[in-house]
Amino acid sequence: MLKGTLQTIILKLLEDNEQMYGYEITQKVKEITAGEIKLTEGALYPALHKLEAEGLLKTSTEIVDNRVRKYYRLTEEGGNGVASKLDEAQAFIDQLQLLLNLKPATK
Amino acid sequence: MILNDEQQQELQKELNYAVKYRETYDEVYDHVVSAIEHIADDKVTDVAARQIINEEFGGYDALKAMEKDRVKLMNFAMRKKHFQHMMQFLNFPVVGFTAVITVAAYFIAGNPVSRGYLLEFTTASAVVPMLFILYKKLSDKLKQWKFDIYKKQSIKDNYIFIAALLSNSTFNLLNIANHRIQMNAGVCIFIFVFYMVYVLSFFKLYKDEFKMDIAR
């Protein structure tokens, strides 16, 4: 996975799903990409913690089956930042397509 | 595969040795148990748990490194938030409150006798966060002892505790220095206003982080 895209993926997933916990995020990515992209927890959690420290995500905890589950959700600032992150990712993909002489995907 | 009590305890014990803080422990434990619950076959649990920690988290050393980074990030975020709360006292409309207490302190500090009372009041305010945190820590310990629960230390709790201790120790240093320069009125006003802002920001931070309802 390209550097920097993980944060965009996390923000987009949380925009679509309101709140999610770490394991759920890994499973969602696996499901959407039909297993082609597998997030490792060693990369996922540091990215989540960084986004939380930057104030883009906030957390809440719930007790599920006698264990503490930490949910992540977007803050107002995080919600506002999703569109610009997606634009950045799209611009990067467009540039990559140009560089590699790939034809834009047809719908 | 659903873990039985014994298997859960085994995993808890292993993680308990591997990580230091509650935030990491809770998150990794929930992740590993959730992952094991989604494994269809009946692999031996500790093997499955170790496999998840080694393959997904990169092993216990990587877990410790992740925790170390997290402590740095959380402390930075808490410091930033605390500072932002303090800065709010210089922004409209809260700056009105700061101006009022500064003017009040100016008049009180004008008289050497009432200046002493102002410093005593400031001493009490600087001690309040520390007393509050000590009370919370003791009541938590008592609950843990009463219900036989073991809770790991928390990164956020530690930051709050340090902020409370800093309040008291910095005040003492300033106060001692001020006594040496014979209770200068300007220094008294500065100490008083600084501590009002520090203590009120401290409680705002505490309220934000622990969703405490002060009115209750």
Side-chain angles (χ1 to χ4, degrees):
Chain A
M1 190 178 295
L2 292 165
K3 201 181 174 189
T5 50
L6 179 56
Q7 292 194 354
T8 311
I9 292 168
I10 293 169
L11 291 172
K12 177 64 181 150
L13 282 174
L14 289 170
E15 187 189 43
D16 295 344
N17 293 279
E18 194 185 349
Q19 65 167 20
M20 295 176 96
Y21 58 98
Y23 182 74
E24 193 182 8
I25 293 174
T26 60
Q27 295 307 296
K28 196 76 183 174
V29 170
K30 207 170 158 186
E31 182 195 318
I32 293 170
T33 63
E36 288 296 318
I37 293 179
K38 194 174 175 297
L39 291 185
T40 62
E41 286 69 9
L44 173 71
Y45 285 106
L48 284 169
H49 301 155
K50 192 163 185 285
L51 288 168
E52 188 190 2
E54 284 169 0
L56 300 176
L57 301 184
K58 58 183 174 183
T59 57
S60 59
T61 50
E62 278 177 29
I63 305 291
V64 178
D65 295 334
N66 279 329
R67 60 182 190 266
V68 179
R69 177 162 291 167
K70 188 172 183 178
Y71 283 98
Y72 292 87
R73 61 170 67 203
L74 292 176
T75 59
E76 203 183 320
E77 195 188 340
N80 296 335
V82 178
S84 66
K85 283 266 185 193
L86 287 174
D87 287 344
E88 275 173 31
Q90 188 57 54
F92 181 72
I93 292 164
D94 291 346
Q95 294 299 320
L96 202 61
Q97 276 181 326
L98 278 173
L99 279 171
L100 302 175
N101 275 333
L102 297 172
K103 285 177 187 168
T106 47
K107 285 182 186 175
Chain B
M1 168 179 180
I2 302 292
L3 305 181
N4 61 34
D5 288 348
E6 198 183 321
Q7 289 169 326
Q8 282 183 26
Q9 278 170 14
E10 192 61 38
L11 179 57
Q12 284 165 1
K13 202 173 145 189
E14 196 157 325
L15 267 182
N16 199 25
Y17 282 114
V19 300
K20 190 174 174 187
Y21 294 101
R22 198 188 309 156
E23 286 89 347
T24 319
Y25 174 88
D26 287 342
E27 200 158 45
V28 175
Y29 179 69
D30 180 49
H31 188 103
V32 173
V33 174
S34 300
I36 290 173
E37 282 174 355
H38 284 81
I39 296 173
D41 61 20
D42 281 345
K43 279 184 188 175
V44 184
T45 317
D46 57 345
V47 174
R50 262 182 222 131
Q51 202 175 340
I52 292 163
I53 288 167
N54 287 333
E55 287 175 10
E56 311 297 334
F57 287 92
Y60 282 117
D61 286 340
L63 209 58
K64 280 175 188 166
M66 183 180 94
E67 185 172 55
K68 213 173 164 184
D69 288 341
R70 185 183 204 173
V71 173
K72 277 188 203 158
L73 281 172
M74 280 184 87
N75 282 337
F76 171 75
M78 295 282 279
R79 261 198 310 273
K80 192 175 153 194
K81 215 180 266 185
H82 194 176
F83 183 71
Q84 280 170 348
H85 287 332
M86 285 178 78
M87 284 298 110
Q88 273 181 7
F89 284 85
L90 296 177
N91 294 335
F92 185 80
V94 195
V95 72
F97 169 80
T98 316
V100 168
I101 60 166
T102 309
V103 171
Y106 174 78
F107 284 109
I108 297 169
N111 180 331
V113 180
S114 56
R115 197 183 301 162
Y117 293 131
L118 186 73
L119 273 181
E120 279 170 25
F121 180 77
T122 316
T123 312
S125 339
V127 172
V128 167
M130 204 183 71
L131 290 179
F132 184 81
I133 294 300
L134 282 177
Y135 167 76
K136 194 185 168 285
K137 277 200 172 268
L138 281 174
S139 64
D140 277 355
K141 284 275 172 213
L142 196 68
K143 266 185 215 161
Q144 287 178 35
W145 174 74
K146 201 172 166 185
F147 299 106
D148 197 22
I149 310 164
Y150 171 70
K151 267 170 105 177
K152 291 186 88 67
Q153 59 177 318
S154 143
I155 304 168
K156 278 185 182 178
D157 279 0
N158 283 1
Y159 178 84
I160 293 276
F161 186 61
I162 289 165
L165 277 181
L166 191 70
S167 163
N168 190 41
S169 51
T170 314
F171 175 80
N172 283 333
L173 282 175
L174 284 173
N175 208 15
I176 290 165
N178 191 34
H179 271 291
R180 284 191 181 275
I181 50 175
Q182 290 158 354
M183 287 172 63
N184 178 282
V187 180
C188 284
I189 296 168
F190 171 76
I191 291 176
F192 171 75
V193 175
F194 176 78
Y195 271 96
M196 285 303 104
V197 169
Y198 187 93
V199 169
L200 291 172
S201 311
F202 171 84
F203 280 110
K204 186 160 187 338
L205 180 75
Y206 191 92
K207 189 172 176 261
D208 285 354
E209 294 306 321
F210 299 98
K211 308 288 175 218
M212 180 186 66
D213 189 352
I214 289 173
R216 212 182 289 161

